[in-house]
């Protein structure tokens, strides 16, 4: 069952744009249509090649026309902003996420040619708290961390997607729950956070973090588009880094601050409101979140190439973050004492 | 369904159990330490783990440790367990407390499997969870494979700043079904204190009287994972803080499950938090096999209740036996 006409939403975003570029290079796909409210950058437009870009708002019923006129059979919904960078306008993002999804799904339901739907969701649907299990499987309860954050949006979006798959059982629905994206070119609150020379952390907590390299996320989305794999899948790199460990690996300087001071601290240390901690983010930095990826490996058939640690190191090296905390003197001292310390 | 078995109160006496004792009990063991001739079946708390002549760590080893910590070159598992930190930083001070303060004696460690999952179920007491910490250390130091006991803790632990992250780093996780079954499935030794706050916060008058064992969740976790249940009874921990009263309004104000009043706390402030130097004995009983009940057994509540009672009964009897054997609270 080869996909012929693929529609991708959210091509202005990092993942959506790269996904369209990849699909456009696939000769088996007849047509690739990218949709977003903002035009992609020139660089991305060049890479998109033969893919078409339609400037449309998925909150508008017009999207139904695009789908039916182009005989779209595969819809990839990658426009949900799960990890907005910088202070996003909350209401606008919520509109885009929830209302946009509703419109898109309504359009898909009316289009008889649609056979497959791929939804990019987020592991934030599981929330993060002191009462949550250490590792979430796909069957874990969805408990958004806050009543108004992006995790709440994602839970609502997934609810609508479930409703859609109930009403259109003939459509293969694949939902991928991505953990925090990281990589040299990813711009999210977290990547900005780790590039702060002085990194504030919640006092008395050391969250377990799981990262997903952007390349792996892209491959998963591509594979979900090209192959038949209905279901819900957690996607994340193997292994765990604690927050303090990640900060040390980035050679940053960690300053524990009380939780209530975190948003202010983020602003103070970055010099500008570049890092905007929402409640969701604070919960994550406080309690952490780890997902089980057995189903991804066994049923979906993909093992992420980067482990959490490798993905994070790739981000640190790719960004060329200058070390704030030097540690070379330690290994030097160790070598002089005659134990085989690796050169750093 | 097997009936809860009756364990004789005055079972084989301490001196009677000589099966595991070396032939030359009373002589010197392979560390050159002189063993006391009495109580041959009991493993003295830190067993043979003297590594070098000096108890000070090697300087370059220490530097290597600091370098790994500073550069983040260490492994943490998905539950947040940091084995290196636990063994290097957390255990050594606790070992001193176990050896010098509580003089913990351990027996029946051979009832713990050398590998693979098992669920250790123990009595809870003492106002502060010293019993859990000491059991964890006793398992690590006494077991030939130096296994880590992964304990299941209440959510209150993970809410408290500092304590929550320390608990995760030392291998504990939230007491819930998914975590317990995940740990057991990955072949870990899991420790559970099913009495919970009812047990740890019981008044002094109720010492060594087991409280209700939760809802038997631990039994269904073991049944589903097909691992043996190892009952564990801790004698000595129930007297470390004689809790005479409970100031409930203050506890509610502070968000704690209880606010204990002991002869020393809160009258002497932080000094009152020093536990009494009682003599401890941790005994692991024979494991209860759960595989014979089959995989569907966890769906049978009656079986789960009966098995819960059986475990509880066994711990209670071992406790009574340990108490009958004990001559003094402080000297053992």
């Amino acid at each position: 069952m080869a996909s012929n006409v693929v529609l991708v939403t959210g091509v202005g975003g990092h993942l959506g744009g790269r996904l369209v570029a990849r699909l456009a290079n696939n000769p088996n796909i007849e047509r690739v249509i990218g949709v977003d409210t903002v035009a992609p950058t020139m660089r991305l437009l060049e890479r998109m090649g033969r893919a078409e870009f339609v400037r449309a708002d998925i909150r508008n019923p017009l999207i139904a026309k695009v789908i039916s006129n182009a005989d779209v059979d595969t819809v990839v919904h990658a426009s949900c902003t799960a990890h907005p960078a910088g202070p996003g306008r909350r209401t606008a993002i919520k509109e885009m996420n929830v209302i946009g999804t509703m419109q898109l799904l309504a359009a898909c339901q009316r289009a008889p040619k649609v056979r497959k739907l791929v939804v990019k969701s987020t592991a934030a649907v599981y929330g993060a708290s002191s009462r949550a299990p250490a590792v979430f499987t796909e069957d874990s309860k969805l408990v958004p961390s806050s009543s108004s954050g992006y995790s709440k949006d994602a839970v609502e979006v997934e609810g609508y997607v479930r409703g859609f798959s109930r009403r259109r059982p003939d459509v293969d629905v694949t939902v991928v729950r991505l953990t925090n994206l990281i990589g040299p070119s990813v711009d999210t609150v977290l990547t900005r956070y780790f590039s702060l020379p002085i990194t504030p952390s919640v006092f008395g907590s050391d969250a377990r973090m799981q990262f997903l390299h952007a390349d792996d996320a892209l491959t998963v989305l591509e594979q979900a588009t090209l192959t038949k794999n209905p279901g819900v899948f957690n996607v994340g790199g193997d292994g765990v880094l604690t927050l303090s460990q990640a900060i040390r690996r980035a050679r940053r300087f960690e300053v524990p601050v009380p939780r209530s001071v975190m948003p202010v601290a983020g602003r103070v240390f970055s010099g500008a409101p570049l890092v905007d901690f929402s409640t969701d983010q604070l919960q994550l930095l406080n309690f952490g979140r780890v997902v089980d990826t057995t189903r991804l490996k066994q049923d979906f058939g993909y093992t992420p190439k980067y482990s959490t640690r490798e993905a994070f190191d790739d981000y640190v090296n790719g960004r060329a973050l200058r070390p704030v905390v030097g540690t070379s003197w330690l290994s030097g001292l160790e070598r002089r004492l005659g134990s085989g310390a690796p050169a750093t | 369904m097997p009936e809860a078995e009756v364990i004789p109160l005055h079972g084989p006496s301490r001196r009677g159990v000589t099966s595991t004792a070396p032939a030359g009990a009373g002589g010197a063991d392979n560390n050159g330490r002189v063993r006391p001739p009495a109580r041959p079946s009991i493993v003295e708390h830190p067993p043979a783990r003297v590594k070098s002549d000096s108890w000070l760590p090697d300087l370059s080893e220490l530097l290597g440790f600091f370098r790994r910590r500073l550069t983040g070159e260490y492994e943490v598992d998905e539950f947040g367990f940091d084995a290196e930190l636990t063994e290097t930083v957390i255990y050594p001070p606790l070992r001193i407390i176990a050896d010098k303060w509580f003089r913990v004696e351990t027996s029946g460690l051979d009832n713990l499997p050398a590998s693979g999952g098992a669920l250790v179920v123990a009595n809870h007491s003492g106002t502060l969870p010293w019993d859990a910490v000491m059991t964890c250390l006793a398992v690590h130091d006494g077991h030939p494979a130096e296994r880590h006991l992964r304990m299941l803790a209440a959510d209150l632990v993970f809410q408290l700043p500092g304590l929550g992250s320390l608990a995760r780093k030392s291998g504990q996780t939230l007491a819930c079904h998914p975590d317990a079954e995940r740990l057991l499935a990955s072949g870990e030794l899991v420790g559970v204190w099913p009495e919970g706050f009812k047990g740890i916060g019981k008044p002094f008058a109720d010492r060594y009287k087991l409280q209700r064992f939760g809802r038997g969740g631990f039994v269904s976790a073991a049944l589903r994972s097909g691992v043996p249940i190892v009952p564990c009874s801790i004698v000595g921990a129930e007297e470390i803080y004689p809790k005479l009263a409970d100031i409930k309004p203050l506890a509610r104000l502070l968000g704690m499950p209880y606010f204990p009043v002991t002869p020393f706390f809160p009258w002497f402030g932080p000094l009152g938090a020093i536990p009494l130097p009682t003599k401890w004995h941790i005994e692991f009983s024979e494991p209860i096999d759960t595989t014979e009940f089959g995989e569907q057994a966890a769906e049978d509540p009656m079986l789960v209740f009966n098995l819960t009672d059986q475990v509880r009964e066994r711990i209670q009897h071992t406790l009574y036996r340990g108490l009958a054997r004990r001559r003094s609270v402080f000297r053992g």
Side-chain angles (χ1 to χ4, degrees), chain A residues 318-334:
Chain A
R319 280 283 176 95
L321 296 181
R322 258 189 306 154
V324 176
V325 183
T327 46
S328 50
W329 59 275
L330 245 176
S331 43
L333 192 64
E334 210 181 334

Side-chain angles (χ1 to χ4, degrees), chain A residues 127-132 145 180 190 193 200-209 241-244 254 257-262 277-289, chain B residues 157-166 168-169:
Chain A
S129 79
S130 59
R131 288 160 179 269
S145 322
N180 291 97
L190 268 190
Y193 169 77
S201 69
V202 182
F203 174 78
S205 82
D206 202 0
R208 292 157 302 127
M209 311 292 289
L241 284 178
T242 63
L243 190 64
S244 65
E254 182 183 354
V257 297
R259 196 188 142 120
S260 49
V261 184
M262 271 290 273
F277 296 112
S278 62
T279 317
D280 291 314
Q281 232 102 33
L282 275 180
Q283 287 286 105
L284 177 70
L285 293 179
N286 198 342
F287 298 109
R289 184 187 306 126
Chain B
V157 170
F158 299 100
Q159 273 165 24
L160 299 174
L163 191 63
S165 70
L166 191 68
R168 282 232 173 267
K169 282 177 190 187

Side-chain angles (χ1 to χ4, degrees), chain A residues 182-310:
Chain A
I182 208 151
S185 55
V186 179
D187 183 24
T188 63
V189 172
L190 268 190
T191 60
R192 291 184 183 190
Y193 169 77
F194 284 115
S195 63
L196 296 178
I198 295 173
T199 314
S201 69
V202 182
F203 174 78
S205 82
D206 202 0
R208 292 157 302 127
M209 311 292 289
Q210 188 177 24
F211 297 118
L212 173 66
H213 198 282
D215 291 355
D216 280 322
L218 192 62
T219 313
V220 165
L221 279 178
E222 187 190 16
Q223 204 168 309
T225 314
L226 299 176
T227 57
K228 183 179 172 172
N229 260 319
V232 181
F233 301 98
N234 288 335
V235 188
D238 285 335
V240 168
L241 284 178
T242 63
L243 190 64
S244 65
Q245 195 182 6
I247 293 172
R248 286 173 199 174
R249 287 187 87 82
R251 305 286 190 274
R252 309 278 106 177
F253 190 71
E254 182 183 354
V255 181
V257 297
R259 196 188 142 120
S260 49
V261 184
M262 271 290 273
V264 183
R267 243 160 266 171
V268 170
F269 292 139
S270 65
L274 287 174
V275 178
D276 191 58
F277 296 112
S278 62
T279 317
D280 291 314
Q281 232 102 33
L282 275 180
Q283 287 286 105
L284 177 70
L285 293 179
N286 198 342
F287 298 109
R289 184 187 306 126
V290 179
V291 298
D292 175 83
T293 54
T294 317
R295 218 188 265 183
L296 176 79
K297 289 173 190 159
Q298 285 177 358
D299 300 351
F300 191 85
Y302 182 74
T303 306
K305 295 208 168 48
Y306 291 85
S307 68
T308 291
R309 178 181 290 224
E310 286 161 355

